[in-house]
Amino acid sequence: MAAEGGGKEMNEIKTQFTTREGLYKLLSHSEYSRPNRVPFNSQGSNPVKVSFVNVNDQSGNGDRICFNVGRELYFYIYKGVRKAADLSKPIDKRIYKGTQPTCHDFNHLTATADSVSLLVGFSAGQVQLIDPIKKETSKLFNEERLIDKSRVTCVKWVPGSESLFLVAHSSGNMYLYNVEHTCGTTAPHYQLLKQGENFAVHTCKSKSTRNPLLKWTVGEGALNEFAFSPDGKFLACVSQDGFLRVFNFDSVELHGTMKSYFGGLLCVCWSPDGKYIVTGGEDDLVTVWSFVDCRVIARGQGHKSWVSVVAFDPNTTSVEEADPMEFSGSDEDFQELISFGRDRANSTQSRLSKRNSTDSRPVSVTYRFGSVGQDTQLCLWDLTEDILFPHQPLSRTRTHTNVMNATSPPSGSGGLNPGSNGNSITTPSNSIPPPLPRSNSLPHSAVSNTGSKSSVDSAIASGVSKFATLSLHDRKERHDKDHKRNHSMGHISSKSSDKLNLVTKNKTDPAKTLGTPLCPRMEDVPLLEPLICKKIAHERLTVLIFLEDCIVTACQEGFICTWARPGKVVSFNP
């Protein structure tokens, strides 16, 4: 399934690979790195990360790339498959002392040819807002490390907002900031807003509005990554305790949870329509989780070490109409499906939920996603109809697929109402009636021990009115993170601290989760095999991004590689 040919190919770096779409080819001229092109000695340094933004440049070359290597941060024009990279002319280059950049994110909403807003997180806990075009350092957040002293693991602008951003730390805490507000000169004091099973959310208690607006404490150990759903309403967080937790971001309610086979979860992503979440981690697996059904629907085995990045490919996710006369949706539904592209599918999720809750499935969907890992391998995977809907008549399913009725949504997990999910567990294995997706879909009133949505909204409105307004109306492009640990809670008042300690003591015993809907046994869910599994670097891989005409990968040596999609190779004019 993986390498073609003999044994020596196992250690050979691949420069091309073929899938059903055709040949993907590494473009050596489009490699980005430090200007000297010397491999970076990566021992003990933070992972190389890459961020893209399009500044709508009139020249038609509006793509910009940012990447960190060690203490350095670079900002270049990204020429992709069109022209060779010119590393001698970075638009901006910064070298930091005493701390290293760990992650970064552009605000796509405000980007222009003259100005971009770039957030950069650091190993010592600070977050910097810079404009690499104007060469300005706008603001530094958590400058005195009074909010959190631990490494920033993930930073994202809240979708649809020009001023709100979310920051996760290795302490396990996550904070919501507003770029317009200061962080104050003293350590913040917090007031409990909401708590549930293994999570709590606090507002910042102060006379004048200050950062952070909210503090999330989720699970145990580092919060390794978070990602906003395509419509910006939900936040998926993966933590070192091995749990995926999915929250409604505005109402701060837990939608569902999943546990890794073992070890921590390191990465997470959403399908373009928001229906599926894929995670990767220290169990060397990729795990596919249904957002609607709140259950594991497949695992993928192909990596030989930890999986560091997972990502869906919206350009290769395909939709086929089995019979034009049978398509039950509107033309708009169908066009929306096939034009996932880079656009956010704001209403796709609800429309697909409606379509897929019927027994007739005239539209055939195949999702493509990829993963890279510390084993230096790139894997591509297809999520097909027989996995997504294993109980359709005439579908060729494995015998063990029929055990999946036992892996219904986690009825006793994460504060979800056992009643609502319990109904699904009795579903016969040979059919999925229409109520199944709906019963586990978006009835957030079913969340127990967390109060009603209206009370939460009013609490947020009274505590941080500006956040409530922005989060409810400006949720077009949300990206967030979630993960927290008790050791940075010294800044909380003793009363709040006691409540937080209560939250984290209810920890789930990993040994008791195996074989439950939270973490099905390997034989209880379909096992995916990768379409391709290729060694493409000498050092561990840290980046995987799917663009319209190429795939971008990066390794810890500091080399950012561009792989042209089939038919997209052009001759270079250096």
Side-chain angles (χ1 to χ4, degrees), residues 463-481:
V464 263
S465 56
K466 190 160 186 182
F467 160 65
T469 308
L470 283 166
S471 72
L472 288 171
H473 297 103
D474 300 339
R475 29 189 204 194
K476 186 180 171 190
E477 230 179 278
R478 227 158 245 173
H479 293 25
D480 22 345
K481 259 174 239 160

Side-chain angles (χ1 to χ4, degrees), residues 159-194:
S161 175
E162 297 184 4
S163 56
L164 295 177
F165 63 92
L166 197 60
V167 183
H169 289 259
S170 60
S171 63
N173 296 320
M174 186 167 64
Y175 305 89
L176 181 72
Y177 288 83
N178 188 323
V179 294
E180 307 297 333
H181 299 158
T182 64
C183 291
T185 55
T186 58
H189 291 275
Y190 297 101
Q191 182 174 346
L192 183 67
L193 171 65
K194 191 153 190 180

Side-chain angles (χ1 to χ4, degrees), residues 328-399:
S328 57
S330 66
D331 289 342
E332 185 184 354
D333 283 333
F334 189 70
Q335 289 305 316
E336 195 167 3
L337 267 171
I338 59 178
S339 64
F340 283 147
R342 291 175 173 177
D343 300 328
R344 294 189 171 274
N346 288 322
S347 61
T348 306
Q349 174 186 303
S350 59
R351 294 180 179 181
L352 282 178
S353 295
K354 288 175 186 172
R355 196 193 78 241
N356 288 331
S357 64
T358 62
D359 281 333
S360 61
R361 296 194 170 85
V363 175
S364 170
V365 183
T366 298
Y367 297 86
R368 166 69 55 81
F369 67 94
S371 57
V372 294
Q374 297 199 8
D375 56 0
T376 72
Q377 292 194 120
L378 163 69
C379 292
L380 294 181
W381 315 79
D382 269 356
L383 194 55
T384 51
E385 287 265 300
D386 59 334
I387 299 297
L388 300 174
F389 311 113
H391 307 304
Q392 287 184 86
L394 306 179
S395 68
R396 291 178 299 165
T397 55
R398 302 184 184 190
T399 52

Side-chain angles (χ1 to χ4, degrees), residues 259-574:
K259 173 72 173 60
S260 69
Y261 203 68
F262 62 82
L265 286 177
L266 305 176
C267 50
V268 62
C269 66
W270 292 79
S271 63
D273 57 8
K275 288 178 62 66
Y276 301 98
I277 294 172
V278 170
T279 65
E282 296 175 355
D283 54 10
D284 303 356
L285 301 170
V286 293
T287 302
V288 185
W289 189 81
S290 167
F291 173 84
V292 176
D293 295 348
C294 292
R295 65 185 176 93
V296 175
I297 62 167
R299 291 192 180 102
Q301 197 168 35
H303 285 285
K304 300 179 180 65
S305 187
W306 296 357
V307 180
S308 49
V309 186
V310 286
F312 274 86
D313 181 357
N315 299 281
T316 312
T317 291
S318 62
V319 180
E320 295 176 7
E321 197 170 352
D323 183 343
M325 301 303 293
E326 292 182 7
F327 183 63
S328 57
S330 66
D331 289 342
E332 185 184 354
D333 283 333
F334 189 70
Q335 289 305 316
E336 195 167 3
L337 267 171
I338 59 178
S339 64
F340 283 147
R342 291 175 173 177
D343 300 328
R344 294 189 171 274
N346 288 322
S347 61
T348 306
Q349 174 186 303
S350 59
R351 294 180 179 181
L352 282 178
S353 295
K354 288 175 186 172
R355 196 193 78 241
N356 288 331
S357 64
T358 62
D359 281 333
S360 61
R361 296 194 170 85
V363 175
S364 170
V365 183
T366 298
Y367 297 86
R368 166 69 55 81
F369 67 94
S371 57
V372 294
Q374 297 199 8
D375 56 0
T376 72
Q377 292 194 120
L378 163 69
C379 292
L380 294 181
W381 315 79
D382 269 356
L383 194 55
T384 51
E385 287 265 300
D386 59 334
I387 299 297
L388 300 174
F389 311 113
H391 307 304
Q392 287 184 86
L394 306 179
S395 68
R396 291 178 299 165
T397 55
R398 302 184 184 190
T399 52
H400 66 248
T401 304
N402 291 325
V403 188
M404 287 176 64
N405 69 305
T407 63
S408 295
S411 57
S413 69
L416 286 171
N417 186 321
S420 101
N421 289 326
N423 296 334
S424 318
I425 294 179
T426 58
T427 302
S429 63
N430 60 355
S431 67
I432 297 183
L436 177 60
R438 287 196 290 268
S439 69
N440 296 292
S441 187
L442 309 178
H444 298 297
S445 57
V447 177
S448 60
N449 75 6
T450 50
S452 70
K453 179 169 180 176
S454 58
S455 66
V456 175
D457 288 343
S458 61
I460 293 179
S462 59
V464 263
S465 56
K466 190 160 186 182
F467 160 65
T469 308
L470 283 166
S471 72
L472 288 171
H473 297 103
D474 300 339
R475 29 189 204 194
K476 186 180 171 190
E477 230 179 278
R478 227 158 245 173
H479 293 25
D480 22 345
K481 259 174 239 160
D482 191 0
H483 225 51
K484 319 201 160 53
R485 182 182 290 249
N486 283 343
H487 63 237
S488 56
M489 294 177 183
H491 311 316
I492 308 175
S493 64
S494 58
K495 189 172 181 183
S496 297
S497 185
D498 292 341
K499 289 180 180 175
L500 278 180
N501 288 332
L502 281 173
V503 171
T504 50
K505 279 175 185 169
N506 292 331
K507 96 176 187 182
T508 311
D509 182 356
K512 293 178 181 175
T513 62
L514 184 61
T516 70
L518 208 56
C519 178
R521 296 184 184 279
M522 291 296 285
E523 62 268 22
D524 289 348
V525 292
L527 194 61
L528 304 176
E529 293 186 352
L531 300 175
I532 63 108
C533 191
K534 303 292 185 185
K535 178 181 175 68
I536 61 168
H538 290 291
E539 281 290 332
R540 67 185 189 271
L541 293 162
T542 57
V543 170
L544 174 62
I545 300 171
F546 290 98
L547 299 179
E548 191 175 349
D549 48 12
C550 61
I551 300 175
V552 175
T553 61
C555 71
Q556 196 54 24
E557 285 185 317
F559 296 117
I560 292 89
C561 297
T562 297
W563 301 76
R565 290 184 186 271
K568 297 293 185 180
V569 179
V570 296
S571 34
F572 284 104
N573 300 311

Side-chain angles (χ1 to χ4, degrees), residues 112-331:
T112 67
D114 303 316
S115 174
V116 294
S117 295
L118 177 66
L119 291 168
V120 185
F122 290 90
S123 55
Q126 304 93 333
V127 177
Q128 190 180 36
L129 173 63
I130 62 177
D131 187 331
I133 294 179
K134 290 183 175 177
K135 307 284 197 300
E136 290 178 358
T137 301
S138 305
K139 285 185 178 176
L140 191 58
F141 300 91
N142 192 30
E143 182 175 5
E144 302 299 325
R145 305 170 71 216
L146 297 171
I147 296 169
D148 200 303
K149 291 181 168 59
S150 67
R151 178 173 59 91
V152 176
T153 56
C154 189
V155 60
K156 299 279 184 187
W157 291 96
V158 171
S161 175
E162 297 184 4
S163 56
L164 295 177
F165 63 92
L166 197 60
V167 183
H169 289 259
S170 60
S171 63
N173 296 320
M174 186 167 64
Y175 305 89
L176 181 72
Y177 288 83
N178 188 323
V179 294
E180 307 297 333
H181 299 158
T182 64
C183 291
T185 55
T186 58
H189 291 275
Y190 297 101
Q191 182 174 346
L192 183 67
L193 171 65
K194 191 153 190 180
Q195 70 179 50
E197 187 174 332
N198 287 308
F199 82 94
V201 181
H202 287 72
T203 58
C204 193
K205 203 162 85 176
S206 64
K207 291 179 181 176
S208 59
T209 307
R210 61 162 285 184
N211 284 319
L213 303 180
L214 290 180
K215 172 179 181 174
W216 294 60
T217 301
V218 180
E220 306 223 345
L223 202 168
N224 289 321
E225 190 175 41
F226 62 79
F228 279 102
S229 60
D231 63 4
K233 294 179 182 179
F234 291 86
L235 180 66
C237 308
V238 288
S239 303
Q240 197 57 38
D241 62 7
F243 278 88
L244 161 73
R245 296 176 177 88
V246 182
F247 295 92
N248 182 312
F249 187 62
D250 292 332
S251 63
V252 200
E253 291 174 353
L254 188 62
H255 171 75
T257 59
M258 183 271 287
K259 173 72 173 60
S260 69
Y261 203 68
F262 62 82
L265 286 177
L266 305 176
C267 50
V268 62
C269 66
W270 292 79
S271 63
D273 57 8
K275 288 178 62 66
Y276 301 98
I277 294 172
V278 170
T279 65
E282 296 175 355
D283 54 10
D284 303 356
L285 301 170
V286 293
T287 302
V288 185
W289 189 81
S290 167
F291 173 84
V292 176
D293 295 348
C294 292
R295 65 185 176 93
V296 175
I297 62 167
R299 291 192 180 102
Q301 197 168 35
H303 285 285
K304 300 179 180 65
S305 187
W306 296 357
V307 180
S308 49
V309 186
V310 286
F312 274 86
D313 181 357
N315 299 281
T316 312
T317 291
S318 62
V319 180
E320 295 176 7
E321 197 170 352
D323 183 343
M325 301 303 293
E326 292 182 7
F327 183 63
S328 57
S330 66
D331 289 342

